[in-house]
Amino acid sequence: MKLVKTIEEVRQIVKEWRKQGLTVGLVPTMGYLHEGHQSLIRKSVEQNDRTVVSIFVNPIQFGPNEDLASYPRDIKRDMALVDETCGDLIFNPEPNEMYPSHFTTSVQTTEVTELLCGARRPVHFGGVCTVVSKLFHIVAPDRAYFGQKDAQQLAVIRRMVRDLNFDIEIVACPIVREADGLAKSSRNTYLNPQERIAARVLSQSLKLGLEQIEKGERDCKKIIQTITEHLQTEPLAKVDYVEIVDNENIQRVDRIQKEVLVAIAVYIGKTRLIDNFIYKCED
Ligand code: PAF
């Protein structure tokens, strides 16, 4: 396993692989890897001859009052995890390698970015689309791997890939959870022990919503109410949003139909956590 810092080096290595007729998978990450990321790397290793893991805390996807400076970083630990998971190459550029001075281009998607995190984090998805487009051009993979935990991000990337005709298959991988249900996230490290216990309320409330749907409830307002009320039982939790949207265009729906995304964002203390589930309706 090798780590490279420049675009030129990645291109050179991928070119050599291509000459040998090898397929390439890309796992874009911001580092501080956990088992969720490892599940993406494993999937890529299973489906491709070579796997590139990008590790880059992308400054342009953070708003002015967000956690860019404090976002956890540990490249040595990340290298060990990628190695253990049989990734072939880490691309770990410095910000000025990705954004040289006078960088003035951005990639924006609308509609799918209007609600949920897009509404709360106005610069976020423009930053994500710009960096992911750059990574797609730099690595030119056959497949790219994203976690279902960032469900809106996944919908945004799929839309961007479709609209801009990237010849890349987007592979979604299931949410990986802690034993008590909390979705794995690099940001879980911000939680103190009391907050960590409180954070269980996210997956618990989603479970109640899912049970209600499985029993036949189709009215989104009622399901949102159940989830919100349960979240409000936890004194350390402050609800940011509870939404039910169509999983493809990320627009609100009144009734559970086709494929819906039930998504929540909740502050536990100062830490904003997200979680979700997808429900495919057969009615
Ligand atoms: O999901 C993430 O870690 C980031 O948003 C991504 C896709 C690596 C882009 O910076």
Side-chain angles (χ1 to χ4, degrees):
M1 202 271 310
K2 205 175 165 181
L3 180 145
V4 296
K5 307 278 300 176
T6 69
I7 294 167
E8 192 48 44
E9 286 170 291
V10 187
R11 287 208 157 128
Q12 230 16 73
I13 292 170
V14 174
K15 214 170 169 181
E16 281 307 312
W17 289 343
R18 291 286 180 206
K19 269 194 208 155
Q20 295 167 42
L22 303 175
T23 56
V24 179
L26 169 66
V27 182
T29 81
M30 297 207 300
Y32 213 72
L33 305 178
H34 50 69
E35 284 155 50
H37 297 112
Q38 283 187 294
S39 75
L40 306 180
I41 300 171
R42 259 183 228 114
K43 193 77 193 164
S44 175
V45 168
E46 185 190 308
Q47 295 186 331
N48 303 278
D49 300 313
R50 295 287 181 270
T51 290
V52 180
V53 180
S54 64
I55 297 181
F56 179 59
V57 182
N58 176 33
I60 68 165
Q61 72 185 69
F62 290 79
N65 299 316
E66 294 183 355
D67 56 343
L68 173 61
S70 57
Y71 197 84
R73 293 159 168 90
D74 188 342
I75 192 66
K76 285 221 174 91
R77 186 175 156 275
D78 287 347
M79 285 172 74
L81 282 181
V82 174
D83 204 24
E84 182 188 305
T85 323
C86 302
D88 299 285
L89 180 68
I90 294 179
F91 175 44
N92 177 222
E94 294 302 322
N96 61 3
E97 177 73 2
M98 292 299 270
Y99 302 116
S101 55
H102 305 288
F103 185 90
T104 52
T105 305
S106 71
V107 181
Q108 301 284 340
T109 48
T110 55
E111 190 183 62
V112 278
T113 56
E114 273 164 18
L115 302 176
L116 315 185
C117 294
R120 272 92 185 157
R121 306 182 66 192
V123 300
H124 179 66
F125 287 117
V128 169
C129 286
T130 303
V131 80
V132 171
S133 303
K134 283 172 70 71
L135 291 167
F136 284 179
H137 285 302
I138 293 164
V139 178
D142 298 282
R143 299 180 189 85
Y145 296 79
F146 294 89
Q148 189 58 56
K149 195 194 129 244
D150 295 301
Q152 187 177 18
Q153 170 169 282
L154 195 50
V156 170
I157 301 287
R158 284 192 196 287
R159 179 65 63 88
M160 179 187 83
V161 163
R162 191 204 71 174
D163 289 353
L164 299 184
N165 308 101
F166 282 101
D167 190 12
I168 295 171
E169 184 190 341
I170 301 302
V171 182
C173 298
I175 299 178
V176 178
R177 295 181 181 278
E178 303 285 355
D180 66 0
L182 179 65
K184 300 248 183 198
S185 163
S186 308
R187 288 189 168 101
N188 291 350
T189 52
Y190 298 152
L191 301 168
N192 68 32
Q194 207 190 348
E195 290 169 342
R196 173 61 190 80
I197 293 170
R200 295 185 301 199
V201 77
L202 276 87
S203 58
Q204 286 167 351
S205 63
L206 285 175
K207 193 163 169 267
L208 290 179
L210 176 61
E211 281 168 8
Q212 202 178 4
I213 298 174
E214 283 174 344
K215 280 187 195 144
E217 184 59 73
R218 293 289 175 263
D219 183 344
C220 292
K221 266 198 196 130
K222 291 192 181 150
I223 300 151
I224 289 173
Q225 190 184 349
T226 301
I227 295 171
T228 308
E229 282 175 3
H230 189 73
L231 287 169
Q232 286 167 341
T233 62
E234 171 50 62
L236 294 181
K238 192 170 145 269
V239 178
D240 188 12
Y241 66 71
V242 177
E243 297 264 25
I244 303 183
V245 296
D246 176 281
N247 190 38
E248 196 186 327
N249 62 21
I250 314 293
Q251 295 294 303
R252 279 186 194 110
V253 289
D254 295 332
R255 297 196 57 79
I256 302 292
Q257 57 193 353
K258 294 195 264 174
E259 186 172 298
V260 294
L261 168 69
V262 181
I264 62 177
V266 180
Y267 285 93
I268 301 289
K270 288 199 171 109
T271 306
R272 185 174 178 277
L273 300 176
I274 57 173
D275 200 350
N276 69 78
F277 67 85
I278 288 170
Y279 187 81
K280 284 187 189 158
C281 191
E282 313 287 347
D283 309 351

